[in-house]
Amino acid sequence: MRLTCMFSFILLFGAAGLVVFIHLQDPEEIVHQQTPGIKYNMGFQQPKKDCVSSNNRDRRLRKNTADGVATVKQSDSLHLPENVPTKLQSTDRRQSSIMFAMKDQEKGEEINSIRLHKRRRRFIIKKSPILISMNSSILNLPTLKSEDRNNNKWKSLYQIQRERKRIMRETCSKYKSNNRRIITPYHVSRIFVEDKYRVLYCEVPKAGCSNWKRVLMVLNGLASSTKDIQHNTVHYGNYLKRLDGFDHKGIYHRLNTYTKMLFIREPFEKLVSAFRDKFEHPNNYYHPVFGKAIISRYRVNATKEALRTGSGVKFKEFIQYLLDVHRPVGMDIHWDHVNRLCSPCLIDYDFVGKFESMEEDANFFLHLIGAPQNLTFPKFKDRHSNEERTTTKITQQYFAELSPSQRQRSYDFYYMDYLMFNYSKPFEDLY
């Protein structure tokens, strides 16, 4: 009788333990379900190199590229956003696991909180919440001078700006998050400051950022002409200030009083431009860091030489990496979303220019801020000057190598940029 009772007790105890174990497991951790399109990783990711000055602070900010995580200095933090970096979220989950063992009565609440965060990270980009604008510039859009109001060219460009801002704001309102967000130094880490003409420029790589930095240096009196500024001076000279280098008061003062502008580019064209620049030319950073990881993961029967150098990445392999929710190496700003680089739903930009109409838009902006009349936006190609610029035709040739499914998933990946900046679908079979 005693043995029977003991045996029954052991069975009941084992069954109870199994029920508790199953209860604590998140089904999404057991079975990975890939939704159509691309998962939108809400963790912050920052690249290693880009069109920026390479001072020590920037190196510290971008040294975790391979992990896809950007580190914001604790002393500069205003408030930690709800969608904190993935590593911090992992720490929170480990702490929650400890709380399970300590406080049984809090199990349900903790589990629900963890599952909520995981589900948020699993949204595809079309359903991803967008940041809400928390600041509105006093300037809004710089007004036309009285003598320009009868100029049909300026009036037309002015109306184009109003329409771009309207579409951007409507998109932000439609896909906005219900949670109140506060601007942190991370959100403004890509914004360069020109105090003399009171300009804030958010750089978007492969959308004229090198020449825009030359223009800002001339406006600041650091050079007399954009032609005098060499490539290394632009990227590694450490002459331009970043907005996150100011204290909290300085950041908010400039956000609310300076003219904020960004220039964007058709997403697929920007992507192909980045691929050609970083993988089709010798590069002592992108080949060993990204190339080796991409070839190792996606190339069947890769040669030892390719695995050793990381050179020769094919566009199809690059797209496989881009669309992989478990990338072997983190994201990079050259192919990241403009929506994340510049936070246009959090920061109310006054001027939105496009690479496709760069000369006209750039010179109109310089006219609006009262820049010297002899200063115009440079036309020269900053890198690989003997090579043809990436055009729509060249972009289509690269994407012709992909399957319809890969093209669709690539479009899903950049869907918010296409929507927010009113770009047409690049292929007719996309939906």
Side-chain angles (χ1 to χ4, degrees):
M1 183 65 179
R2 184 176 300 175
L3 290 174
T4 302
C5 292
M6 183 178 297
F7 183 71
S8 300
F9 177 78
I10 292 173
L11 285 178
L12 290 173
F13 183 79
L18 181 60
V19 170
V20 172
F21 174 77
I22 293 173
H23 180 67
L24 292 179
Q25 297 300 305
D26 188 339
E28 292 175 341
E29 293 295 324
I30 301 173
V31 180
H32 175 70
Q33 297 179 350
Q34 174 65 55
T35 57
I38 300 305
K39 283 186 180 180
Y40 186 52
N41 184 0
M42 295 303 291
F44 295 119
Q45 299 171 329
Q46 193 75 357
K48 177 82 173 179
K49 274 190 178 181
D50 56 354
C51 301
V52 297
S53 303
S54 60
N55 54 43
N56 291 333
R57 177 183 59 79
D58 294 338
R59 290 194 189 99
R60 288 196 299 271
L61 180 63
R62 294 188 293 275
K63 68 181 180 180
N64 289 326
T65 302
D67 293 330
V69 179
T71 302
V72 178
K73 292 183 292 184
Q74 185 175 7
S75 60
D76 288 340
S77 177
L78 302 179
H79 286 284
L80 188 64
E82 289 188 7
N83 292 323
V84 294
T86 305
K87 288 187 177 180
L88 295 182
Q89 292 176 345
S90 298
T91 302
D92 290 341
R93 289 196 295 272
R94 288 194 295 269
Q95 292 174 345
S96 297
S97 297
I98 296 173
M99 293 298 293
F100 289 149
M102 296 175 60
K103 301 180 180 181
D104 291 340
Q105 67 273 22
E106 296 180 2
K107 283 181 181 178
E109 294 180 3
E110 296 290 346
I111 292 172
N112 290 336
S113 176
I114 291 174
R115 288 177 176 171
L116 178 60
H117 282 294
K118 289 177 179 176
R119 284 195 293 271
R120 285 178 180 173
R121 292 199 307 276
R122 284 168 168 77
F123 282 166
I124 59 173
I125 189 168
K126 289 184 180 180
K127 295 182 180 179
S128 176
I130 307 301
L131 306 179
I132 302 301
S133 178
M134 297 299 294
N135 68 297
S136 58
S137 175
I138 295 173
L139 296 173
N140 196 19
L141 180 64
T143 56
L144 287 173
K145 300 175 184 178
S146 57
E147 60 268 25
D148 294 333
R149 292 174 184 170
N150 295 324
N151 186 311
N152 290 332
K153 176 183 176 181
W154 297 136
K155 286 171 63 178
S156 175
L157 291 172
Y158 192 83
Q159 290 303 317
I160 289 173
Q161 282 300 312
R162 290 175 63 91
E163 180 66 9
R164 287 176 184 172
K165 285 175 61 64
R166 182 191 66 79
I167 293 173
M168 188 169 66
R169 285 173 173 170
E170 286 183 357
T171 304
C172 291
S173 297
K174 182 177 180 180
Y175 293 88
K176 66 184 179 180
S177 167
N178 292 324
N179 299 318
R180 183 176 178 83
R181 296 297 302 277
I182 299 175
I183 296 175
T184 70
Y186 170 81
H187 294 117
V188 299
S189 63
R190 308 222 61 79
I191 296 180
F192 287 88
V193 180
E194 200 293 297
D195 285 315
K196 184 176 180 180
Y197 287 86
R198 302 167 70 85
V199 172
L200 298 180
Y201 164 63
C202 183
E203 62 163 352
V204 176
K206 314 311 297 180
C209 69
S210 299
N211 282 335
W212 264 117
K213 286 185 175 181
R214 288 184 171 95
V215 170
L216 293 181
M217 291 175 69
V218 172
L219 288 174
N220 204 35
L222 298 172
S224 58
S225 170
T226 55
K227 296 179 180 179
D228 300 333
I229 309 173
Q230 299 298 316
H231 174 83
N232 286 344
T233 304
V234 171
H235 298 302
Y236 309 115
N238 193 25
Y239 292 107
L240 296 173
K241 294 177 290 186
R242 286 173 176 266
L243 187 55
D244 65 343
F246 294 87
D247 60 17
H248 302 166
K249 183 178 180 181
I251 290 174
Y252 278 94
H253 168 71
R254 287 167 174 79
L255 282 174
N256 288 308
T257 59
Y258 282 26
T259 305
K260 303 178 290 297
M261 65 101 166
L262 79 161
F263 271 72
I264 41 87
R265 186 176 185 177
E266 202 280 337
F268 277 12
E269 189 174 307
K270 175 176 172 290
L271 179 67
V272 171
S273 177
F275 173 79
R276 296 175 71 197
D277 181 26
K278 305 307 179 187
F279 295 103
E280 293 186 350
H281 299 276
N283 192 296
N284 59 9
Y285 172 71
Y286 284 90
H287 289 191
V289 174
F290 288 87
K292 289 170 68 173
I294 290 173
I295 291 173
S296 177
R297 172 71 69 88
Y298 307 107
R299 183 176 298 180
V300 179
N301 298 324
T303 65
K304 291 183 179 180
E305 181 66 12
L307 292 172
R308 183 183 67 84
T309 64
S311 300
V313 172
K314 299 175 183 177
F315 186 66
K316 191 169 185 177
E317 295 169 337
F318 174 67
I319 293 298
Q320 286 180 283
Y321 144 78
L322 185 71
L323 302 180
D324 192 345
V325 293
H326 301 294
R327 299 185 189 96
V329 63
M331 273 294 288
D332 182 88
I333 63 163
H334 290 86
W335 43 84
D336 205 349
H337 316 90
V338 175
N339 179 50
R340 291 208 299 171
L341 292 175
C342 295
S343 302
C345 292
L346 182 65
I347 298 172
D348 188 18
Y349 287 93
D350 305 302
F351 191 97
V352 181
K354 290 192 173 183
F355 183 86
E356 294 76 18
S357 54
M358 175 64 79
E359 184 177 358
E360 191 173 51
D361 287 350
N363 292 327
F364 178 50
F365 176 79
L366 293 174
H367 179 77
L368 286 175
I369 65 171
Q373 292 185 357
N374 63 344
L375 176 60
T376 57
F377 192 81
K379 300 179 182 179
F380 57 84
K381 196 169 183 285
D382 188 56
R383 289 167 60 84
H384 318 304
S385 56
N386 295 327
E387 187 176 85
E388 183 182 1
R389 286 185 184 275
T390 301
T391 60
T392 300
K393 181 179 179 180
I394 291 176
T395 300
Q396 290 177 343
Q397 291 172 354
Y398 277 81
F399 273 87
E401 302 173 11
L402 308 180
S403 67
S405 174
Q406 287 176 317
R407 286 198 297 270
Q408 180 63 53
R409 295 178 65 202
S410 298
Y411 177 71
D412 289 344
F413 187 81
Y414 291 109
Y415 177 78
M416 195 55 64
D417 284 352
Y418 273 101
L419 190 65
M420 185 173 295
F421 302 112
N422 199 29
Y423 280 108
S424 302
K425 294 179 181 178
F427 294 95
E428 294 182 357
D429 60 345
L430 298 175
Y431 56 87

